[in-house]
Amino acid sequence: MLNRRSAFKYALALSALTAVISSGPSFAEEKKFTIGYSQMWGTNPFLLAQAAGAEKAVKEWADKGVAVDMIVTNAGDTDVNKQVADLEDLYARGVDGLLIFPGDSIVVGDPIVNLYNKGKIPVAITDIGIEKGDYVHFNITDNYKGGALAAQLMAKNVPAGAKVITFDHLPNSTAGQERRRGFEEEAAKLGLTVEPRKIYTLSLENARRLMEDTLTSIPDVAGVFFMNQVGGQGAASALETLNKADSVKLVAFDLDPISYGMVKDGKLLGLVVQKPFEMGYAGMNNMVASLTGGEVLKDMQIEPLILSKETAADFANDPQVTGGK
């Protein structure tokens, strides 16, 4: 099990990352590497921002005489076995290093151990984490804190002792379970009544149906926490149809243009916002540093932020909202 709550503070991590970038050796002759970047949900703004961050790092290394050919693969939204196949394909193509955003912390462990670790190919993880396997760099949001921030926002906007629940689409994700635990433990500390979580497969329609079912089984539920903004969007649709939008508050993880607009319009109470651009940037920098004999920061934890209607203007230029780099 990875140490998902490393002792690195955000400011220290950034300082160390700067040292990684500046400490890389200079080269009289250009060095060339091929680095794979295996993702799931690769059309999601969060993943696009990660890839954009990695691309920025690639350009900066090129200026220092290190050429990187980055191959990005997208395993889609639901089939974790496709990501295993992508990992096998990247290995067969002879990549010098691997960046990975794991869609499932457990399933990807076998190819990492049996192919990359065995073949001594370095692995850098950008978010979520893996249950087994060695890596040279791992960066992740403080997911427990993100869940706690969601609970704090919820507690300020629902009655004392109100019933709240988590809709969980990441039962096999270490990051997802940290989010759930942070939300549920903080909500309980704040005096809210925490109902047993409900597990579902992530989609707008599934979230909509689960919201409808929950209103039948727990008619007085006051708040729902989601591990992804898509679930929040689907549930908001159900609440609007049933005229319950004012009585049930929704807080979700992650940001995209649609969810941003829904917060501004009051359809979502708030969002926990990660920094995926920084994740991809740090992942690629540390990967190339490991390949060139530079200093590598092994564990890096990144602080999340809360986006609410009151703070929405602060996030207007976030790459996950604008689609920019």
Side-chain angles (χ1 to χ4, degrees):
M1 178 79 66
L2 293 177
N3 178 7
R4 299 179 300 277
R5 304 193 66 203
S6 73
F8 287 103
K9 297 297 183 182
Y10 180 54
L12 292 176
L14 280 181
S15 176
L17 175 59
T18 301
V20 169
I21 299 169
S22 61
S23 66
S26 59
F27 298 93
E29 295 182 1
E30 185 178 67
K31 300 290 183 177
K32 296 182 179 180
F33 300 102
T34 300
I35 297 174
Y37 199 162
S38 171
Q39 297 183 332
M40 279 193 69
W41 311 302
T43 59
N44 186 293
F46 183 88
L47 277 305
L48 294 176
Q50 280 198 353
E55 289 171 0
K56 179 183 178 183
V58 166
K59 292 176 182 177
E60 292 179 357
W61 279 101
D63 292 338
K64 296 188 288 186
V66 181
V68 174
D69 178 17
M70 182 173 70
I71 304 172
V72 180
T73 62
N74 174 24
D77 296 341
T78 59
D79 186 3
V80 295
N81 292 319
K82 174 62 167 60
Q83 186 166 36
V84 171
D86 288 345
L87 291 170
E88 293 170 347
D89 178 65
L90 289 170
Y91 179 81
R93 294 173 72 171
V95 296
D96 300 295
L98 173 73
L99 268 64
I100 180 171
F101 172 86
D104 187 295
S105 299
I106 297 173
V107 174
V108 301
D110 285 340
I112 287 177
V113 170
N114 297 328
L115 296 178
Y116 292 88
N117 291 168
K118 187 176 180 179
K120 301 188 183 305
I121 298 171
V123 175
I125 306 164
T126 58
D127 201 19
I128 293 187
I130 55 177
E131 291 290 338
K132 62 180 179 179
D134 296 328
Y135 59 90
V136 297
H137 170 77
F138 172 39
N139 67 62
I140 190 169
T141 297
D142 187 340
N143 284 288
Y144 185 92
K145 181 173 182 178
L149 290 174
Q152 291 165 14
L153 179 63
M154 188 79 75
K156 293 176 182 178
N157 290 275
V158 299
K163 294 179 180 178
V164 296
I165 190 171
T166 297
F167 284 7
D168 182 359
H169 77 281
L170 294 171
N172 292 328
S173 162
T174 55
Q177 294 316 296
E178 283 291 277
R179 295 174 189 179
R180 178 181 66 83
R181 194 165 66 87
F183 176 80
E184 293 180 351
E185 291 182 1
E186 185 70 11
K189 288 178 184 177
L190 295 172
L192 300 179
T193 302
V194 180
E195 296 289 322
R197 66 174 174 167
K198 294 193 175 185
I199 297 175
Y200 75 112
T201 301
L202 181 64
S203 74
L204 288 167
E205 180 61 19
N206 288 338
R208 184 187 66 79
R209 290 179 179 176
L210 185 56
M211 188 73 257
E212 292 173 348
D213 293 344
T214 301
L215 288 171
T216 299
S217 60
I218 314 174
D220 56 345
V221 66
V224 184
F225 171 58
F226 300 84
M227 298 179 186
N228 181 275
Q229 79 280 12
V230 173
Q233 293 168 14
S237 175
L239 294 177
E240 191 168 8
T241 300
L242 297 170
N243 296 316
K244 292 282 188 177
D246 293 333
S247 58
V248 182
K249 305 301 181 182
L250 309 176
V251 180
F253 237 88
D254 288 332
L255 174 63
D256 64 13
I258 294 174
S259 59
Y260 179 71
M262 292 177 74
V263 172
K264 292 179 67 177
D265 294 340
K267 296 178 181 179
L268 295 176
L269 177 62
L271 299 166
V272 181
V273 180
Q274 303 184 78
K275 300 172 182 175
F277 187 94
E278 185 173 309
M279 290 175 169
Y281 181 71
M284 182 60 76
N285 271 315
N286 281 278
M287 171 55 66
V288 180
S290 74
L291 291 169
T292 57
E295 182 182 351
V296 179
L297 176 63
K298 185 168 186 180
D299 291 291
M300 178 179 178
Q301 198 167 59
I302 300 173
E303 295 287 324
L305 302 169
I306 278 286
L307 188 162
S308 65
K309 191 172 185 178
E310 291 72 25
T311 64
D314 297 338
F315 296 85
N317 295 320
D318 189 289
Q320 297 167 93
V321 174
T322 65
K325 300 181 179 182

